Amino acid sequence: MVVTDTVGLVLAAGAGRRYGMPKILVPGWLERAVQALHDGGCPAVRVVTGAAEPDLPAGVEGIHCAGWEGGIGASLRTGLAAVGPEAGRVVVHVVDCPDVGADVVARVLTAAGDRLARAVFDGRPGHPVVLPQAHLAPLLASLTDADGAGPYLRAHEHLTVECADLATGQDIDTPPVTVAGHRTDTDTPRRPVAGTEPGDDRRA
């Protein structure tokens, strides 16, 4: 088995009910997430799919989550189980934070080294999250379908890397509003209330 030092994992399995479509299908979002990981320091990138399974960017492997309706924890479990054995560390990102670019990923990876770490934006937890190999098995054992890595991170010492100067890091839950024929991007991204949107890509 070939071990890749760093594997990027995009969680993109949700139905995007409040958005009106699976967010993996929003034009440009998947490509941005994949490029952010790849250009930020992940030589290999995998995407967890579920509600929709579009064509993926060249060189990117899809991992289908059969239980995607359960929530982000189900998607994360499926993804980590697939890539964990071949990864020295896994960098988890989500498809619905389109302003997070390669500069954010690179900063978090550089600071993390072999430590558990995550990006924060003005102190607010966000993505990416860096999971070293030593944490993968205990994290997998602790995951529930509805919750991502957040409870595990809160229970374990980890590095927080401030990135608000590079991006907002906010997840987008509703589409832009069209006013007088003009598309606006004034939606204030916010976190869904846990349990209200089964299968959506909530924050880890």
Side-chain angles (χ1 to χ4, degrees):
M1 177 176 61
V2 177
V3 176
T4 301
D5 177 56
T6 303
V7 175
L9 184 66
V10 180
L11 304 183
R17 289 177 176 85
R18 284 204 286 176
Y19 198 90
M21 64 188 295
K23 297 175 189 175
I24 194 174
L25 300 179
V26 178
W29 282 15
L30 175 61
E31 291 77 9
R32 290 182 198 175
V34 168
Q35 185 173 9
L37 289 172
H38 188 268
D39 292 353
C42 302
V45 178
R46 308 286 184 260
V47 175
V48 181
T49 63
E53 295 189 68
D55 292 337
L56 301 179
V60 174
E61 178 183 331
I63 303 167
H64 179 70
C65 177
W68 63 267
E69 292 184 356
I72 192 172
S75 299
L76 181 58
R77 183 188 302 110
T78 298
L80 291 181
V83 307
E86 66 185 51
R89 57 184 179 175
V90 178
V91 184
V92 179
H93 192 23
V94 289
V95 76
D96 57 354
C97 291
D99 79 335
V100 171
D103 49 358
V104 173
V105 176
R107 178 181 291 181
V108 178
L109 271 175
T110 299
D114 60 359
R115 290 175 290 179
L116 188 65
R118 83 177 308 162
V120 297
F121 301 87
D122 286 330
R124 176 178 51 82
H127 288 86
V129 175
V130 178
L131 304 172
Q133 175 66 236
H135 286 275
L136 297 185
L139 171 57
L140 276 168
S142 73
L143 284 173
T144 64
D145 282 357
D147 292 315
Y152 184 87
L153 287 164
R154 289 190 290 272
H156 294 79
E157 182 178 351
H158 64 280
L159 179 69
T160 58
V161 183
E162 182 58 62
C163 296
D165 60 315
L166 301 176
T168 68
Q170 294 177 311
D171 57 331
I172 298 181
D173 299 325
T174 56
V177 177
T178 300
V179 178
H182 296 284
R183 177 184 168 105
T184 67
D185 293 305
T186 56
D187 168 57
T188 301
R190 57 192 181 281
R191 300 168 92 181
V193 177
T196 61
E197 289 190 273
D200 256 10
D201 294 308
R202 293 190 290 274
R203 291 189 172 278

